[in-house]
Amino acid sequence: MTPRLLLRPHKETDISALTAALNDFEVARRLRNVPHPFTETHARERLAASAKGAIDGLTQTFAVVRLHDQRFIGGVGLAFDESGLVASLGYWIARDEWRHGYARESVQRVVQYAFTERSPSLLRMEAHVHVGNDASRRVLAACAFCEITIEEIYDCGFDEERRAHRYEIDRSRALSS
């Protein structure tokens, strides 16, 4: 939890809001693993994958919910490598909730959680941001991530390679910010 947000596991009741938000092309085009159009079937598959990931311990996803009205507004997820020493971070916020600091707030909390509560052996976290997504780059910079390089990544929504900034944060930097 943060002062304004609840970060919790996804629920069946999130499916409608999840589908609507990720079916917005302006949201989907900024994400790596989101097909477009995004359907209710995709949402159900995401929830099933999220549940499986929680069981096998390799992923953990959170619904981002505003505290004051309990509205589902986005998601944050972690994917851990087999060693548990490195995690990848992904996040998104529904377009009608952009520019309120919710992405920064939820990312800051998940970074702290990952390094302290979830995986005390975690050494490094990485995140990718498509070239041109300057708002997301500002989120990561505000959360103490450092840009490492620009590289080609596979994007299933576009079924092609796309250029993306790779950001990283290590344990010492995460715990001092």
Side-chain angles (χ1 to χ4, degrees), residues 110-145:
V110 168
V111 167
Q112 288 300 309
Y113 163 79
F115 281 102
T116 60
E117 301 165 52
R118 170 61 165 79
S119 185
S121 61
L122 184 64
L123 297 178
R124 179 173 52 86
M125 187 179 294
E126 63 183 33
H128 286 90
V129 177
H130 290 126
V131 168
N133 187 350
D134 293 335
S136 194
R137 294 181 70 204
R138 287 190 297 273
V139 166
L140 292 174
C143 294
F145 279 75

PDB file of all heavy atoms in Angstrom, residues 110-145:
ATOM      1  N   VAL A 110       6.764  -1.106  -5.279  1.00  0.00           N
ATOM      2  CA  VAL A 110       7.112  -2.466  -5.708  1.00  0.00           C
ATOM      3  C   VAL A 110       8.629  -2.674  -5.679  1.00  0.00           C
ATOM      4  O   VAL A 110       9.098  -3.751  -5.293  1.00  0.00           O
ATOM      5  CB  VAL A 110       6.499  -2.785  -7.082  1.00  0.00           C
ATOM      6  CG1 VAL A 110       7.074  -4.061  -7.677  1.00  0.00           C
ATOM      7  CG2 VAL A 110       4.988  -2.898  -6.951  1.00  0.00           C
ATOM      8  N   VAL A 111       9.401  -1.664  -6.030  1.00  0.00           N
ATOM      9  CA  VAL A 111      10.859  -1.783  -5.948  1.00  0.00           C
ATOM     10  C   VAL A 111      11.277  -2.020  -4.498  1.00  0.00           C
ATOM     11  O   VAL A 111      12.059  -2.934  -4.207  1.00  0.00           O
ATOM     12  CB  VAL A 111      11.557  -0.534  -6.546  1.00  0.00           C
ATOM     13  CG1 VAL A 111      13.042  -0.499  -6.188  1.00  0.00           C
ATOM     14  CG2 VAL A 111      11.369  -0.500  -8.059  1.00  0.00           C
ATOM     15  N   GLN A 112      10.752  -1.226  -3.596  1.00  0.00           N
ATOM     16  CA  GLN A 112      11.080  -1.416  -2.173  1.00  0.00           C
ATOM     17  C   GLN A 112      10.660  -2.802  -1.688  1.00  0.00           C
ATOM     18  O   GLN A 112      11.413  -3.489  -1.003  1.00  0.00           O
ATOM     19  CB  GLN A 112      10.430  -0.329  -1.313  1.00  0.00           C
ATOM     20  CG  GLN A 112      11.073   1.024  -1.475  1.00  0.00           C
ATOM     21  CD  GLN A 112      12.543   1.011  -1.085  1.00  0.00           C
ATOM     22  OE1 GLN A 112      12.914   0.561  -0.008  1.00  0.00           O
ATOM     23  NE2 GLN A 112      13.390   1.485  -1.990  1.00  0.00           N
ATOM     24  N   TYR A 113       9.464  -3.193  -2.038  1.00  0.00           N
ATOM     25  CA  TYR A 113       8.955  -4.516  -1.663  1.00  0.00           C
ATOM     26  C   TYR A 113       9.852  -5.630  -2.214  1.00  0.00           C
ATOM     27  O   TYR A 113      10.213  -6.570  -1.499  1.00  0.00           O
ATOM     28  CB  TYR A 113       7.521  -4.678  -2.190  1.00  0.00           C
ATOM     29  CG  TYR A 113       7.045  -6.104  -2.227  1.00  0.00           C
ATOM     30  CD1 TYR A 113       6.606  -6.735  -1.061  1.00  0.00           C
ATOM     31  CD2 TYR A 113       7.037  -6.827  -3.413  1.00  0.00           C
ATOM     32  CE1 TYR A 113       6.176  -8.065  -1.094  1.00  0.00           C
ATOM     33  CE2 TYR A 113       6.612  -8.143  -3.459  1.00  0.00           C
ATOM     34  CZ  TYR A 113       6.183  -8.749  -2.294  1.00  0.00           C
ATOM     35  OH  TYR A 113       5.769 -10.060  -2.327  1.00  0.00           O
ATOM     36  N   ALA A 114      10.216  -5.542  -3.479  1.00  0.00           N
ATOM     37  CA  ALA A 114      11.002  -6.598  -4.119  1.00  0.00           C
ATOM     38  C   ALA A 114      12.344  -6.796  -3.436  1.00  0.00           C
ATOM     39  O   ALA A 114      12.764  -7.932  -3.200  1.00  0.00           O
ATOM     40  CB  ALA A 114      11.197  -6.286  -5.603  1.00  0.00           C
ATOM     41  N   PHE A 115      13.029  -5.710  -3.115  1.00  0.00           N
ATOM     42  CA  PHE A 115      14.362  -5.813  -2.529  1.00  0.00           C
ATOM     43  C   PHE A 115      14.348  -6.125  -1.034  1.00  0.00           C
ATOM     44  O   PHE A 115      15.315  -6.663  -0.514  1.00  0.00           O
ATOM     45  CB  PHE A 115      15.167  -4.533  -2.784  1.00  0.00           C
ATOM     46  CG  PHE A 115      15.736  -4.446  -4.167  1.00  0.00           C
ATOM     47  CD1 PHE A 115      15.134  -3.656  -5.140  1.00  0.00           C
ATOM     48  CD2 PHE A 115      16.874  -5.157  -4.518  1.00  0.00           C
ATOM     49  CE1 PHE A 115      15.658  -3.565  -6.421  1.00  0.00           C
ATOM     50  CE2 PHE A 115      17.404  -5.079  -5.803  1.00  0.00           C
ATOM     51  CZ  PHE A 115      16.799  -4.283  -6.754  1.00  0.00           C
ATOM     52  N   THR A 116      13.273  -5.784  -0.338  1.00  0.00           N
ATOM     53  CA  THR A 116      13.275  -5.975   1.114  1.00  0.00           C
ATOM     54  C   THR A 116      12.408  -7.141   1.578  1.00  0.00           C
ATOM     55  O   THR A 116      12.856  -7.969   2.362  1.00  0.00           O
ATOM     56  CB  THR A 116      12.826  -4.690   1.838  1.00  0.00           C
ATOM     57  OG1 THR A 116      11.514  -4.343   1.415  1.00  0.00           O
ATOM     58  CG2 THR A 116      13.791  -3.549   1.580  1.00  0.00           C
ATOM     59  N   GLU A 117      11.186  -7.211   1.083  1.00  0.00           N
ATOM     60  CA  GLU A 117      10.256  -8.225   1.564  1.00  0.00           C
ATOM     61  C   GLU A 117      10.205  -9.460   0.681  1.00  0.00           C
ATOM     62  O   GLU A 117      10.222 -10.588   1.168  1.00  0.00           O
ATOM     63  CB  GLU A 117       8.848  -7.628   1.664  1.00  0.00           C
ATOM     64  CG  GLU A 117       8.764  -6.432   2.593  1.00  0.00           C
ATOM     65  CD  GLU A 117       7.477  -5.666   2.398  1.00  0.00           C
ATOM     66  OE1 GLU A 117       6.402  -6.297   2.438  1.00  0.00           O
ATOM     67  OE2 GLU A 117       7.560  -4.442   2.202  1.00  0.00           O
ATOM     68  N   ARG A 118      10.107  -9.290  -0.597  1.00  0.00           N
ATOM     69  CA  ARG A 118       9.881 -10.400  -1.526  1.00  0.00           C
ATOM     70  C   ARG A 118      11.127 -11.243  -1.727  1.00  0.00           C
ATOM     71  O   ARG A 118      11.077 -12.457  -1.723  1.00  0.00           O
ATOM     72  CB  ARG A 118       9.384  -9.853  -2.870  1.00  0.00           C
ATOM     73  CG  ARG A 118       9.326 -10.840  -4.023  1.00  0.00           C
ATOM     74  CD  ARG A 118       8.387 -11.988  -3.740  1.00  0.00           C
ATOM     75  NE  ARG A 118       8.028 -12.756  -4.905  1.00  0.00           N
ATOM     76  CZ  ARG A 118       8.791 -13.695  -5.478  1.00  0.00           C
ATOM     77  NH1 ARG A 118       9.978 -13.947  -5.023  1.00  0.00           N
ATOM     78  NH2 ARG A 118       8.340 -14.357  -6.526  1.00  0.00           N
ATOM     79  N   SER A 119      12.253 -10.580  -1.939  1.00  0.00           N
ATOM     80  CA  SER A 119      13.457 -11.318  -2.301  1.00  0.00           C
ATOM     81  C   SER A 119      14.697 -10.622  -1.743  1.00  0.00           C
ATOM     82  O   SER A 119      15.375  -9.893  -2.463  1.00  0.00           O
ATOM     83  CB  SER A 119      13.547 -11.427  -3.829  1.00  0.00           C
ATOM     84  OG  SER A 119      14.632 -12.224  -4.192  1.00  0.00           O
ATOM     85  N   PRO A 120      15.004 -10.852  -0.474  1.00  0.00           N
ATOM     86  CA  PRO A 120      16.193 -10.206   0.109  1.00  0.00           C
ATOM     87  C   PRO A 120      17.500 -10.547  -0.599  1.00  0.00           C
ATOM     88  O   PRO A 120      18.490  -9.862  -0.426  1.00  0.00           O
ATOM     89  CB  PRO A 120      16.201 -10.712   1.556  1.00  0.00           C
ATOM     90  CG  PRO A 120      14.779 -11.091   1.832  1.00  0.00           C
ATOM     91  CD  PRO A 120      14.227 -11.586   0.519  1.00  0.00           C
ATOM     92  N   SER A 121      17.513 -11.593  -1.426  1.00  0.00           N
ATOM     93  CA  SER A 121      18.718 -11.930  -2.189  1.00  0.00           C
ATOM     94  C   SER A 121      18.758 -11.255  -3.563  1.00  0.00           C
ATOM     95  O   SER A 121      19.742 -11.379  -4.297  1.00  0.00           O
ATOM     96  CB  SER A 121      18.822 -13.450  -2.362  1.00  0.00           C
ATOM     97  OG  SER A 121      17.709 -13.937  -3.080  1.00  0.00           O
ATOM     98  N   LEU A 122      17.709 -10.531  -3.917  1.00  0.00           N
ATOM     99  CA  LEU A 122      17.645  -9.843  -5.207  1.00  0.00           C
ATOM    100  C   LEU A 122      18.791  -8.839  -5.319  1.00  0.00           C
ATOM    101  O   LEU A 122      18.994  -8.027  -4.417  1.00  0.00           O
ATOM    102  CB  LEU A 122      16.299  -9.119  -5.347  1.00  0.00           C
ATOM    103  CG  LEU A 122      16.010  -8.426  -6.666  1.00  0.00           C
ATOM    104  CD1 LEU A 122      15.924  -9.441  -7.807  1.00  0.00           C
ATOM    105  CD2 LEU A 122      14.709  -7.649  -6.566  1.00  0.00           C
ATOM    106  N   LEU A 123      19.532  -8.914  -6.411  1.00  0.00           N
ATOM    107  CA  LEU A 123      20.667  -8.010  -6.609  1.00  0.00           C
ATOM    108  C   LEU A 123      20.354  -6.851  -7.541  1.00  0.00           C
ATOM    109  O   LEU A 123      20.871  -5.760  -7.376  1.00  0.00           O
ATOM    110  CB  LEU A 123      21.865  -8.785  -7.190  1.00  0.00           C
ATOM    111  CG  LEU A 123      22.447  -9.883  -6.318  1.00  0.00           C
ATOM    112  CD1 LEU A 123      23.591 -10.584  -7.044  1.00  0.00           C
ATOM    113  CD2 LEU A 123      22.906  -9.318  -4.981  1.00  0.00           C
ATOM    114  N   ARG A 124      19.494  -7.117  -8.561  1.00  0.00           N
ATOM    115  CA  ARG A 124      19.275  -6.110  -9.595  1.00  0.00           C
ATOM    116  C   ARG A 124      17.880  -6.258 -10.180  1.00  0.00           C
ATOM    117  O   ARG A 124      17.345  -7.358 -10.279  1.00  0.00           O
ATOM    118  CB  ARG A 124      20.332  -6.307 -10.684  1.00  0.00           C
ATOM    119  CG  ARG A 124      20.249  -5.380 -11.845  1.00  0.00           C
ATOM    120  CD  ARG A 124      21.439  -5.547 -12.786  1.00  0.00           C
ATOM    121  NE  ARG A 124      21.702  -6.898 -13.226  1.00  0.00           N
ATOM    122  CZ  ARG A 124      21.120  -7.479 -14.282  1.00  0.00           C
ATOM    123  NH1 ARG A 124      20.225  -6.828 -14.995  1.00  0.00           N
ATOM    124  NH2 ARG A 124      21.440  -8.707 -14.636  1.00  0.00           N
ATOM    125  N   MET A 125      17.322  -5.125 -10.597  1.00  0.00           N
ATOM    126  CA  MET A 125      16.032  -5.105 -11.290  1.00  0.00           C
ATOM    127  C   MET A 125      16.232  -4.327 -12.585  1.00  0.00           C
ATOM    128  O   MET A 125      16.974  -3.341 -12.614  1.00  0.00           O
ATOM    129  CB  MET A 125      14.983  -4.419 -10.415  1.00  0.00           C
ATOM    130  CG  MET A 125      13.580  -4.480 -10.958  1.00  0.00           C
ATOM    131  SD  MET A 125      12.392  -3.672  -9.847  1.00  0.00           S
ATOM    132  CE  MET A 125      12.460  -4.742  -8.420  1.00  0.00           C
ATOM    133  N   GLU A 126      15.568  -4.782 -13.638  1.00  0.00           N
ATOM    134  CA  GLU A 126      15.655  -4.085 -14.918  1.00  0.00           C
ATOM    135  C   GLU A 126      14.259  -3.772 -15.430  1.00  0.00           C
ATOM    136  O   GLU A 126      13.275  -4.395 -15.018  1.00  0.00           O
ATOM    137  CB  GLU A 126      16.430  -4.908 -15.941  1.00  0.00           C
ATOM    138  CG  GLU A 126      15.788  -6.220 -16.279  1.00  0.00           C
ATOM    139  CD  GLU A 126      16.611  -7.044 -17.250  1.00  0.00           C
ATOM    140  OE1 GLU A 126      17.850  -6.978 -17.228  1.00  0.00           O
ATOM    141  OE2 GLU A 126      15.986  -7.769 -18.059  1.00  0.00           O
ATOM    142  N   ALA A 127      14.190  -2.804 -16.316  1.00  0.00           N
ATOM    143  CA  ALA A 127      12.925  -2.436 -16.962  1.00  0.00           C
ATOM    144  C   ALA A 127      13.257  -1.913 -18.354  1.00  0.00           C
ATOM    145  O   ALA A 127      14.329  -1.339 -18.574  1.00  0.00           O
ATOM    146  CB  ALA A 127      12.198  -1.365 -16.160  1.00  0.00           C
ATOM    147  N   HIS A 128      12.339  -2.139 -19.283  1.00  0.00           N
ATOM    148  CA  HIS A 128      12.489  -1.642 -20.651  1.00  0.00           C
ATOM    149  C   HIS A 128      11.388  -0.628 -20.945  1.00  0.00           C
ATOM    150  O   HIS A 128      10.246  -0.813 -20.521  1.00  0.00           O
ATOM    151  CB  HIS A 128      12.386  -2.791 -21.667  1.00  0.00           C
ATOM    152  CG  HIS A 128      13.600  -3.641 -21.688  1.00  0.00           C
ATOM    153  ND1 HIS A 128      13.749  -4.736 -20.882  1.00  0.00           N
ATOM    154  CD2 HIS A 128      14.739  -3.556 -22.431  1.00  0.00           C
ATOM    155  CE1 HIS A 128      14.918  -5.295 -21.115  1.00  0.00           C
ATOM    156  NE2 HIS A 128      15.539  -4.603 -22.057  1.00  0.00           N
ATOM    157  N   VAL A 129      11.761   0.407 -21.675  1.00  0.00           N
ATOM    158  CA  VAL A 129      10.822   1.450 -22.087  1.00  0.00           C
ATOM    159  C   VAL A 129      11.021   1.691 -23.569  1.00  0.00           C
ATOM    160  O   VAL A 129      12.145   1.981 -24.009  1.00  0.00           O
ATOM    161  CB  VAL A 129      11.070   2.769 -21.316  1.00  0.00           C
ATOM    162  CG1 VAL A 129      10.140   3.862 -21.810  1.00  0.00           C
ATOM    163  CG2 VAL A 129      10.928   2.560 -19.820  1.00  0.00           C
ATOM    164  N   HIS A 130       9.953   1.561 -24.353  1.00  0.00           N
ATOM    165  CA  HIS A 130      10.062   1.803 -25.790  1.00  0.00           C
ATOM    166  C   HIS A 130      10.583   3.210 -26.055  1.00  0.00           C
ATOM    167  O   HIS A 130      10.220   4.171 -25.361  1.00  0.00           O
ATOM    168  CB  HIS A 130       8.700   1.648 -26.477  1.00  0.00           C
ATOM    169  CG  HIS A 130       8.219   0.241 -26.534  1.00  0.00           C
ATOM    170  ND1 HIS A 130       6.990  -0.137 -26.058  1.00  0.00           N
ATOM    171  CD2 HIS A 130       8.795  -0.890 -26.993  1.00  0.00           C
ATOM    172  CE1 HIS A 130       6.840  -1.439 -26.237  1.00  0.00           C
ATOM    173  NE2 HIS A 130       7.916  -1.916 -26.800  1.00  0.00           N
ATOM    174  N   VAL A 131      11.428   3.306 -27.078  1.00  0.00           N
ATOM    175  CA  VAL A 131      11.925   4.609 -27.507  1.00  0.00           C
ATOM    176  C   VAL A 131      10.718   5.487 -27.828  1.00  0.00           C
ATOM    177  O   VAL A 131       9.779   5.053 -28.494  1.00  0.00           O
ATOM    178  CB  VAL A 131      12.861   4.449 -28.729  1.00  0.00           C
ATOM    179  CG1 VAL A 131      13.160   5.791 -29.368  1.00  0.00           C
ATOM    180  CG2 VAL A 131      14.144   3.729 -28.321  1.00  0.00           C
ATOM    181  N   GLY A 132      10.710   6.699 -27.301  1.00  0.00           N
ATOM    182  CA  GLY A 132       9.605   7.624 -27.515  1.00  0.00           C
ATOM    183  C   GLY A 132       8.654   7.725 -26.330  1.00  0.00           C
ATOM    184  O   GLY A 132       7.844   8.644 -26.270  1.00  0.00           O
ATOM    185  N   ASN A 133       8.749   6.797 -25.381  1.00  0.00           N
ATOM    186  CA  ASN A 133       7.867   6.840 -24.213  1.00  0.00           C
ATOM    187  C   ASN A 133       8.571   7.604 -23.085  1.00  0.00           C
ATOM    188  O   ASN A 133       9.042   7.035 -22.102  1.00  0.00           O
ATOM    189  CB  ASN A 133       7.490   5.422 -23.771  1.00  0.00           C
ATOM    190  CG  ASN A 133       6.445   5.410 -22.672  1.00  0.00           C
ATOM    191  OD1 ASN A 133       6.115   6.440 -22.096  1.00  0.00           O
ATOM    192  ND2 ASN A 133       5.929   4.226 -22.383  1.00  0.00           N
ATOM    193  N   ASP A 134       8.644   8.915 -23.251  1.00  0.00           N
ATOM    194  CA  ASP A 134       9.384   9.747 -22.310  1.00  0.00           C
ATOM    195  C   ASP A 134       8.751   9.804 -20.926  1.00  0.00           C
ATOM    196  O   ASP A 134       9.458   9.931 -19.927  1.00  0.00           O
ATOM    197  CB  ASP A 134       9.556  11.158 -22.881  1.00  0.00           C
ATOM    198  CG  ASP A 134      10.456  11.164 -24.109  1.00  0.00           C
ATOM    199  OD1 ASP A 134      11.293  10.250 -24.253  1.00  0.00           O
ATOM    200  OD2 ASP A 134      10.302  12.085 -24.936  1.00  0.00           O
ATOM    201  N   ALA A 135       7.429   9.681 -20.837  1.00  0.00           N
ATOM    202  CA  ALA A 135       6.777   9.694 -19.522  1.00  0.00           C
ATOM    203  C   ALA A 135       7.253   8.501 -18.684  1.00  0.00           C
ATOM    204  O   ALA A 135       7.549   8.645 -17.489  1.00  0.00           O
ATOM    205  CB  ALA A 135       5.262   9.676 -19.674  1.00  0.00           C
ATOM    206  N   SER A 136       7.347   7.349 -19.294  1.00  0.00           N
ATOM    207  CA  SER A 136       7.801   6.166 -18.571  1.00  0.00           C
ATOM    208  C   SER A 136       9.285   6.271 -18.214  1.00  0.00           C
ATOM    209  O   SER A 136       9.708   5.819 -17.142  1.00  0.00           O
ATOM    210  CB  SER A 136       7.534   4.910 -19.395  1.00  0.00           C
ATOM    211  OG  SER A 136       7.677   3.760 -18.590  1.00  0.00           O
ATOM    212  N   ARG A 137      10.055   6.884 -19.055  1.00  0.00           N
ATOM    213  CA  ARG A 137      11.473   7.116 -18.734  1.00  0.00           C
ATOM    214  C   ARG A 137      11.598   8.010 -17.503  1.00  0.00           C
ATOM    215  O   ARG A 137      12.451   7.774 -16.643  1.00  0.00           O
ATOM    216  CB  ARG A 137      12.192   7.750 -19.929  1.00  0.00           C
ATOM    217  CG  ARG A 137      12.271   6.810 -21.130  1.00  0.00           C
ATOM    218  CD  ARG A 137      13.003   7.431 -22.295  1.00  0.00           C
ATOM    219  NE  ARG A 137      14.416   7.537 -21.932  1.00  0.00           N
ATOM    220  CZ  ARG A 137      15.243   8.419 -22.478  1.00  0.00           C
ATOM    221  NH1 ARG A 137      14.808   9.276 -23.391  1.00  0.00           N
ATOM    222  NH2 ARG A 137      16.507   8.440 -22.122  1.00  0.00           N
ATOM    223  N   ARG A 138      10.725   9.014 -17.403  1.00  0.00           N
ATOM    224  CA  ARG A 138      10.753   9.894 -16.230  1.00  0.00           C
ATOM    225  C   ARG A 138      10.356   9.133 -14.960  1.00  0.00           C
ATOM    226  O   ARG A 138      10.898   9.384 -13.883  1.00  0.00           O
ATOM    227  CB  ARG A 138       9.849  11.105 -16.441  1.00  0.00           C
ATOM    228  CG  ARG A 138      10.428  12.112 -17.436  1.00  0.00           C
ATOM    229  CD  ARG A 138       9.647  13.419 -17.471  1.00  0.00           C
ATOM    230  NE  ARG A 138       8.275  13.260 -17.911  1.00  0.00           N
ATOM    231  CZ  ARG A 138       7.879  13.275 -19.178  1.00  0.00           C
ATOM    232  NH1 ARG A 138       8.761  13.429 -20.150  1.00  0.00           N
ATOM    233  NH2 ARG A 138       6.603  13.156 -19.481  1.00  0.00           N
ATOM    234  N   VAL A 139       9.413   8.198 -15.086  1.00  0.00           N
ATOM    235  CA  VAL A 139       9.016   7.384 -13.927  1.00  0.00           C
ATOM    236  C   VAL A 139      10.227   6.623 -13.405  1.00  0.00           C
ATOM    237  O   VAL A 139      10.520   6.633 -12.201  1.00  0.00           O
ATOM    238  CB  VAL A 139       7.879   6.399 -14.299  1.00  0.00           C
ATOM    239  CG1 VAL A 139       7.691   5.331 -13.229  1.00  0.00           C
ATOM    240  CG2 VAL A 139       6.576   7.150 -14.529  1.00  0.00           C
ATOM    241  N   LEU A 140      10.931   5.939 -14.293  1.00  0.00           N
ATOM    242  CA  LEU A 140      12.073   5.142 -13.855  1.00  0.00           C
ATOM    243  C   LEU A 140      13.186   6.014 -13.282  1.00  0.00           C
ATOM    244  O   LEU A 140      13.798   5.662 -12.267  1.00  0.00           O
ATOM    245  CB  LEU A 140      12.580   4.266 -14.997  1.00  0.00           C
ATOM    246  CG  LEU A 140      11.612   3.157 -15.411  1.00  0.00           C
ATOM    247  CD1 LEU A 140      12.139   2.429 -16.641  1.00  0.00           C
ATOM    248  CD2 LEU A 140      11.352   2.181 -14.275  1.00  0.00           C
ATOM    249  N   ALA A 141      13.449   7.147 -13.903  1.00  0.00           N
ATOM    250  CA  ALA A 141      14.476   8.052 -13.372  1.00  0.00           C
ATOM    251  C   ALA A 141      14.088   8.539 -11.974  1.00  0.00           C
ATOM    252  O   ALA A 141      14.935   8.587 -11.073  1.00  0.00           O
ATOM    253  CB  ALA A 141      14.681   9.230 -14.318  1.00  0.00           C
ATOM    254  N   ALA A 142      12.814   8.852 -11.766  1.00  0.00           N
ATOM    255  CA  ALA A 142      12.351   9.305 -10.447  1.00  0.00           C
ATOM    256  C   ALA A 142      12.444   8.196  -9.399  1.00  0.00           C
ATOM    257  O   ALA A 142      12.510   8.477  -8.201  1.00  0.00           O
ATOM    258  CB  ALA A 142      10.908   9.808 -10.540  1.00  0.00           C
ATOM    259  N   CYS A 143      12.465   6.950  -9.856  1.00  0.00           N
ATOM    260  CA  CYS A 143      12.553   5.800  -8.949  1.00  0.00           C
ATOM    261  C   CYS A 143      13.980   5.280  -8.825  1.00  0.00           C
ATOM    262  O   CYS A 143      14.199   4.148  -8.375  1.00  0.00           O
ATOM    263  CB  CYS A 143      11.606   4.700  -9.422  1.00  0.00           C
ATOM    264  SG  CYS A 143       9.871   5.169  -9.303  1.00  0.00           S
ATOM    265  N   ALA A 144      14.972   6.088  -9.233  1.00  0.00           N
ATOM    266  CA  ALA A 144      16.405   5.820  -9.075  1.00  0.00           C
ATOM    267  C   ALA A 144      16.957   4.761 -10.029  1.00  0.00           C
ATOM    268  O   ALA A 144      18.060   4.261  -9.825  1.00  0.00           O
ATOM    269  CB  ALA A 144      16.745   5.464  -7.622  1.00  0.00           C
ATOM    270  N   PHE A 145      16.239   4.427 -11.089  1.00  0.00           N
ATOM    271  CA  PHE A 145      16.778   3.535 -12.113  1.00  0.00           C
ATOM    272  C   PHE A 145      17.769   4.329 -12.974  1.00  0.00           C
ATOM    273  O   PHE A 145      17.598   5.532 -13.169  1.00  0.00           O
ATOM    274  CB  PHE A 145      15.666   3.009 -13.026  1.00  0.00           C
ATOM    275  CG  PHE A 145      14.880   1.860 -12.464  1.00  0.00           C
ATOM    276  CD1 PHE A 145      13.944   2.072 -11.458  1.00  0.00           C
ATOM    277  CD2 PHE A 145      15.051   0.577 -12.957  1.00  0.00           C
ATOM    278  CE1 PHE A 145      13.202   1.019 -10.948  1.00  0.00           C
ATOM    279  CE2 PHE A 145      14.311  -0.487 -12.455  1.00  0.00           C
ATOM    280  CZ  PHE A 145      13.384  -0.263 -11.445  1.00  0.00           C
TER     281      PHE A 145
END
